Amino acid sequence: MILKVFRYDPGSGEQRYDRFPLMHRPGMTVLEALFLVASEQDDSLAFRYSCRGAVCGTCAVLVNHVPRLACRTRLEPLLRGEDLLALAPHPGLELGEAYSPDEEVLVEPLPNMPLIKDLVVDQEGFFSKYRMISPVFRPSGELPGKEQLMYPSAVRELETYTNCILCASCYAACPVNAADDEYIGPAALAKLYRFAIDPREGDHGSRFARADTPHGWWACRFFTNCAKVCPKGVTPNVAIGKARGVLEGRGKDSRDKEHSPATDSHVPRE
Amino acid sequence: MTEFLHRHDVLIIGAGLGGLRACLEVAGKGLDCGVISKVHPLRSHSVAAQGGVNAALGNAPGGENDNWEAHAFDTVKGSDYLCDQDAVEILCRNAPSAVYEMEHFGTVFSRDENGKIAQRPFGGAGFPRTCYAADRTGHNLLHTLYERLQEHEVTFYEEYFVTSLVIGKDRCSGCTALRIMDGTVHGFSSGSTLIATGGFGRIYSRSTNALINTGETEYHAFRAGVALRDMEFVQFHPTSLHGTNILISEAARGEGGYLLNSEGDRFMRAYAPDAMELAPRDVVARAMTREIEDGRGIGDGYLHLDLRHLGKSLIRERLPGIRLICMDFAGIDPVREPVPVQPAQHYSMGGIAVDTRGSTSLPGLYAAGECSCISVHGANRLGGNSLLETLVFGKLVADTIIDDNPGTLPRDDRVVHEAVSREETRMNAILSGDKGEDVHRIQSDLQETMFHHFGIFRNEHSMKQGLELIGILEERFSRASISYRGRIYNQALVRVLELEGMIILARVLAQSALARTESRGSHTRTDHPGRDDRNFLVHSEARMKEGSIEIGYTPVRLTSYPPKERSY
């Protein structure tokens, strides 16, 4: 097979595609293939990595035009034409380089972020939006000397969003993001929603209000690329829809008493 | 003069749980704090911790009588009596407040039906004591700390690779680091420097560790004259996914999973009849290796972790992460099929020698977490105690640093400037060197050497062979070269710098292991099968002396728990 890789030389500004022929082992992932290239063919190839187990969010790249974690994406299903994702048009698709699907796997950097070198992009914009939503937990009232109680049902709902690993796959796949620099984006909005529904927090209104702007909750057009590419099953689109509902007075604010013994009484200090 | 000099009261190297917990404390006191990490903080290996964090909260049914003393006893026994018991008491006494504090900071722990933090059984523990956030506990804790730090004034130096510690007038004055993004060498001048960089598991071929766990800062501390303690004690986790060696949490057994051999037998009954699959990791990893060596392994050498009887809803609720890992990386669903597992390197009990305040022997230098040895894990760590260690000692070392008043400590910018020029010269030499040995090949040979000669079962003959092989690797490394000569995002350069430290750590580990002629915890000598308290109830301490490594010993500190025979 051929690993077709986007190359960017920050010195000269040159952009090109290199084709690296590889003997692939069964089960080999895109990340392993990149390491094989770096160790045997070209040690100048730049790509990020850390856990190699799909939990740290470091290695997201475009694979065959779709944002994916390189460590979790296997070559064989791609070459067999399986493992396809139908996404709404986004920059990764639109500007995408051609490749022959039965012998090539195409690897490119995530779009919507400035290039640094080869597959490495500058994620500062992505994290500046994370900071913009003020992701700091603000419990209501005095902190007791024990845990604030919280029912498993509330945990289940929160986990849908706390599972986000901030890999920026959604940020790269979002067509709104591509068109609107100021859009807070799916990952940061999902994070904001996680705080807005935490039954241990006091001021849910200000959490929802924080993104009650044209570039916040209201910018999403529900293409749902975010949920489709998420490697952890997070659904920013659902969070955004629910947040809009709360702001429009439709939906239930999740600070619902039935979920939250903590809002009524704290466990006394020992 | 150096173009890039950064000055901070406190410098923290490493942005995993230990580093960030310390940072929060230091920044909360208004000290000027800089954090250096070779990756973005959220990519640190702490994020991969799965099963949980131990604290005697007594929340779970059957756990009502749990208390910190019972936690301490289990930890001491689990350590095969090599831990320092005063340090263990600090760890266990502070565990409940450490967990409650993280809950107050926002961590979404799993809950029982009464709304309390849920707790599950873990290996070697007398009570269900492990608090968890499904099987993504590290992820949840790390994100919580990083979130909390967003409201503090902290300077993060992301993707900076530390290349040396700077020593001036008998104290640590900071460090030098390569900014990976553009290849510039930066100097960091500080009053206090904390190392919290995690483990060095990648010196082994089979490891659950992130690829970034290469241990260079431990090597820098060692080079600076600080001792590396108990380096022979390496934990092999019983259940890593066959092939990729990605961690399958102990929580899988805590929730009731079985280990089966090729005959479908729950073989742990022969090794730990009471604790069965929930014996400590050293016991289970040895049993598994024996089963495989005795011909009861499956395929090319693995066993089955069977979760099917737990049912789909429990697996989805409490083990969703490992289910996803099994599906992503082995193409199997543990709801329907047993998981192929094998032991793999997981954790280093040893590390930079520190006292119970987290200080090293070098003034101005501190360490916490896996990279340090304080020693709370002794010869074998219990699952759920490493996240706890990062939280408790991350905070405690920060208190020590604050007490030492780093804002008033002497700075030595001149020596930092000199170090930067020295490192510049070194980088230039690597980037302009002649073509020589391939770095990747040396690294993979090192990893195989460590796995085969310093693995779960060890003996003198094999370890001496291993040491010879390490000598050859050192010699080959002196001729190592890279092809890419550019400065921008030169990961080949980073890998050379990593490998330099990995080889030295391997040698320290090897010599420490060869010198300990007993079996204790994770260190199992087939030629010395018994524990020898008369001669070896001591910590090893390796030091660099005139270019060679010397191994010395210091006594273990006992308080309330006299050494006993260890059975489960």
Side-chain angles (χ1 to χ4, degrees):
Chain A
M1 61 92 44
I2 309 282
L3 200 70
K4 184 170 178 180
V5 185
F6 175 86
R7 305 300 303 269
Y8 169 65
D9 177 353
S12 64
E14 184 205 0
Q15 302 187 7
R16 64 171 199 273
Y17 286 86
D18 282 349
R19 298 172 83 252
F20 298 104
L22 289 180
M23 291 292 291
H24 69 286
R25 289 180 282 101
M28 185 184 266
T29 63
V30 171
L31 185 65
E32 288 170 320
L34 291 170
F35 269 108
L36 206 56
V37 169
S39 64
E40 292 182 358
Q41 301 188 45
D42 185 348
D43 69 0
S44 72
L45 179 64
F47 55 98
R48 285 199 177 99
Y49 57 86
S50 177
C51 80
R52 68 79 173 82
V55 293
C56 77
T58 312
C59 65
V61 286
L62 285 180
V63 180
N64 292 355
H65 302 152
V66 175
R68 295 170 188 268
L69 298 180
C71 70
R72 152 181 201 268
T73 306
R74 297 205 247 172
L75 299 172
E76 286 157 334
L78 295 169
L79 294 167
R80 285 198 303 263
E82 301 164 12
D83 201 8
L84 299 173
L85 267 184
L87 296 180
H90 68 99
L93 275 180
E94 288 166 359
L95 308 172
E97 172 77 3
Y99 64 97
S100 15
D102 40 0
E103 64 151 355
E104 289 181 336
V105 169
L106 176 68
V107 188
E108 300 167 285
L110 293 183
N112 299 344
M113 284 169 266
L115 296 171
I116 293 176
K117 183 179 188 310
D118 302 337
L119 301 172
V120 177
V121 294
D122 181 354
Q123 299 201 327
E124 173 49 30
F126 173 70
F127 279 102
S128 75
K129 286 162 181 176
Y130 163 88
R131 290 192 292 273
M132 197 183 286
I133 60 103
S134 183
V136 183
F137 180 67
R138 303 195 189 287
S140 54
E142 269 289 283
L143 290 175
K146 281 207 158 198
E147 70 266 56
Q148 289 197 82
L149 301 182
M150 180 159 62
Y151 284 135
S153 55
V155 171
R156 266 194 289 281
E157 195 180 355
L158 277 171
E159 274 177 348
T160 313
Y161 305 104
T162 54
N163 283 343
C164 170
I165 56 174
L166 294 171
C167 66
S169 289
C170 57
Y171 191 83
C174 176
V176 178
N177 225 7
D180 176 3
D181 270 355
E182 290 177 61
Y183 178 39
I184 294 174
L189 286 173
K191 176 71 75 181
L192 178 55
Y193 186 72
R194 165 256 175 281
F195 287 104
I197 63 167
D198 193 315
R200 300 168 298 174
E201 282 215 349
D203 186 5
H204 295 251
S206 75
R207 289 288 191 186
F208 285 110
R210 188 147 196 121
D212 188 7
T213 64
H215 302 292
W217 306 117
W218 306 102
C220 172
R221 291 171 58 202
F222 297 103
F223 291 107
T224 70
N225 280 2
C226 53
K228 285 178 192 150
V229 300
C230 179
K232 297 282 117 179
V234 180
T235 50
N237 53 319
V238 174
I240 293 165
K242 287 186 173 175
R244 286 189 190 183
V246 170
L247 288 166
E248 287 172 337
R250 283 188 277 122
K252 269 200 312 184
D253 180 337
S254 296
R255 191 179 38 156
D256 206 329
K257 293 285 188 265
E258 72 191 82
H259 276 333
S260 172
T263 49
D264 291 332
S265 64
H266 293 304
V267 176
R269 281 174 196 280
E270 275 186 325
Chain B
M1 290 304 261
T2 310
E3 203 175 338
F4 306 108
L5 180 76
H6 311 276
R7 306 178 91 248
H8 294 285
D9 294 339
V10 181
L11 193 61
I12 296 176
I13 307 172
L17 281 173
L20 293 192
R21 182 64 195 83
C23 179
L24 188 58
E25 208 65 18
V26 167
K29 285 285 186 299
L31 290 170
D32 168 37
C33 184
V35 179
I36 306 179
S37 172
K38 69 200 275 191
V39 292
H40 184 282
L42 292 175
R43 317 309 185 197
S44 306
H45 186 52
S46 298
V47 86
Q50 298 175 356
V53 49
N54 295 337
L57 307 184
N59 284 352
E64 297 83 358
N65 296 325
D66 198 9
N67 53 43
W68 76 261
E69 289 95 337
H71 182 186
F73 171 74
D74 290 342
T75 301
V76 171
K77 182 180 172 189
S79 83
D80 217 345
Y81 295 90
L82 191 73
C83 61
D84 284 320
Q85 297 183 6
D86 51 354
V88 170
E89 288 177 9
I90 296 171
L91 179 80
C92 300
R93 236 187 243 273
N94 287 290
S97 61
V99 168
Y100 290 140
E101 185 174 66
M102 290 307 296
E103 196 275 332
H104 295 162
F105 290 167
T107 301
V108 180
F109 284 102
S110 296
R111 303 295 176 129
D112 63 22
E113 63 276 18
N114 301 314
K116 289 183 174 179
I117 293 174
Q119 297 190 276
R120 60 167 51 124
F122 243 50
F127 296 97
R129 186 183 292 137
T130 306
C131 311
Y132 57 95
D135 52 2
R136 300 173 171 126
T137 314
H139 161 88
N140 280 281
L141 294 172
L142 187 68
H143 278 252
T144 299
L145 283 178
Y146 187 67
E147 286 162 5
R148 194 151 187 95
L149 278 166
Q150 300 308 310
E151 64 179 6
H152 289 274
E153 289 290 322
V154 175
T155 313
F156 284 98
Y157 299 91
E158 289 162 17
E159 300 191 341
Y160 281 67
F161 181 89
V162 172
T163 64
S164 73
L165 293 175
V166 179
I167 316 299
K169 297 198 189 78
D170 295 328
R171 60 177 295 116
C172 180
S173 299
C175 71
T176 58
L178 179 77
R179 187 180 188 226
I180 299 171
M181 190 190 280
D182 60 10
T184 51
V185 178
H186 291 235
F188 293 84
S189 172
S190 65
S192 300
T193 302
L194 169 63
I195 300 179
T197 48
F200 54 84
R202 282 288 153 185
I203 70 171
Y204 282 86
S205 54
R206 287 185 193 171
S207 174
T208 64
N209 283 195
L211 303 171
I212 58 172
N213 286 22
T214 46
E216 53 276 357
T217 44
E218 284 170 72
Y219 160 63
H220 297 318
F222 181 65
R223 248 189 344 166
V226 177
L228 295 180
R229 182 184 288 155
D230 290 344
M231 291 292 279
E232 61 271 41
F233 296 102
V234 177
Q235 179 161 81
F236 287 79
H237 197 289
T239 58
S240 78
L241 196 61
H242 171 247
T244 57
N245 298 116
I246 295 171
L247 177 66
I248 301 296
S249 172
E250 187 165 312
R253 283 170 287 135
E255 296 293 349
Y258 298 149
L259 285 171
L260 305 175
N261 62 19
S262 61
E263 293 158 13
D265 180 34
R266 278 181 77 187
F267 58 87
M268 280 309 298
R269 77 179 93 237
Y271 301 88
D274 294 329
M276 295 292 284
E277 282 87 353
L278 283 182
R281 290 173 179 173
D282 58 333
V283 176
V284 181
R286 267 194 301 271
M288 291 174 70
T289 307
R290 281 262 185 262
E291 289 296 304
I292 293 167
E293 284 179 356
D294 290 352
R296 289 184 294 276
I298 303 163
D300 64 356
Y302 59 86
L303 295 158
H304 276 149
L305 173 66
D306 197 347
L307 306 179
R308 290 174 293 182
H309 56 287
L310 302 180
K312 188 171 182 175
S313 68
L314 185 143
I315 292 173
R316 285 179 67 156
E317 171 118 0
R318 299 200 197 154
L319 304 168
I322 71 134
R323 183 177 181 220
L324 211 54
I325 286 169
C326 291
M327 297 198 291
D328 284 348
F329 293 96
I332 61 140
D333 182 350
V335 169
R336 286 193 295 271
E337 294 155 273
V339 183
V341 291
Q342 61 188 175
Q345 189 285 342
H346 182 59
Y347 188 86
S348 165
M349 272 70 74
I352 300 167
V354 294
D355 62 22
T356 48
R357 300 174 74 233
S359 305
T360 71
S361 58
L362 182 65
L365 186 68
Y366 309 78
E370 185 178 348
C371 67
S372 72
C373 181
I374 198 160
S375 137
V376 288
H377 309 305
N380 173 63
R381 175 174 71 78
L382 292 189
N385 270 353
S386 65
L387 291 186
L388 180 61
E389 178 189 18
T390 64
L391 298 175
V392 169
F393 291 106
K395 181 168 189 281
L396 180 138
V397 75
D399 290 339
T400 302
I401 289 170
I402 293 161
D403 284 349
D404 288 351
N405 222 344
T408 65
L409 291 172
R411 302 286 180 85
D412 196 342
D413 289 358
R414 189 189 49 82
V415 75
V416 178
H417 283 296
E418 286 168 8
V420 170
S421 326
R422 185 194 66 220
E423 291 299 295
E424 275 287 358
T425 308
R426 192 161 75 101
M427 298 308 135
N428 285 331
I430 297 170
L431 291 171
S432 59
D434 297 335
K435 180 124 187 71
E437 281 270 346
D438 179 82
V439 175
H440 292 89
R441 221 159 284 151
I442 302 173
Q443 179 171 321
S444 67
D445 288 352
L446 174 71
Q447 291 166 332
E448 289 301 324
T449 300
M450 296 310 289
F451 176 73
H452 288 292
H453 297 277
F454 302 93
I456 294 174
F457 289 104
R458 303 167 172 180
N459 67 66
E460 181 178 336
H461 178 69
S462 169
M463 286 194 286
K464 281 188 167 162
Q465 277 183 335
L467 263 166
E468 272 177 39
L469 293 171
I470 292 170
I472 295 170
L473 290 164
E474 287 167 336
E475 197 271 319
R476 283 171 63 192
F477 181 75
S478 67
R479 288 181 274 110
S481 76
I482 56 178
S483 302
Y484 178 46
R485 303 290 160 98
R487 285 274 181 173
I488 297 175
Y489 228 87
N490 191 336
Q491 291 168 305
L493 174 60
V494 169
R495 287 192 276 264
V496 176
L497 297 170
E498 286 174 342
L499 184 57
E500 178 186 351
M502 291 165 83
I503 295 177
I504 302 298
L505 291 183
R507 173 169 284 285
V508 172
L509 192 161
Q511 289 189 202
S512 305
L514 186 61
R516 185 176 285 271
T517 49
E518 65 155 356
S519 291
R520 182 186 298 272
S522 68
H523 176 68
T524 310
R525 296 272 305 242
T526 52
D527 50 349
H528 296 277
R531 194 176 80 192
D532 177 3
D533 284 343
R534 208 154 63 144
N535 294 304
F536 282 107
L537 190 60
V538 287
H539 300 293
S540 69
E541 292 203 343
R543 274 197 181 73
M544 190 78 101
K545 284 257 167 71
E546 286 153 20
S548 69
I549 295 165
E550 275 185 15
I551 313 281
Y553 294 93
T554 58
V556 167
R557 292 193 300 276
L558 307 173
T559 56
S560 312
Y561 311 95
K564 286 187 199 147
E565 198 194 334
R566 184 169 169 254
S567 65
Y568 288 93

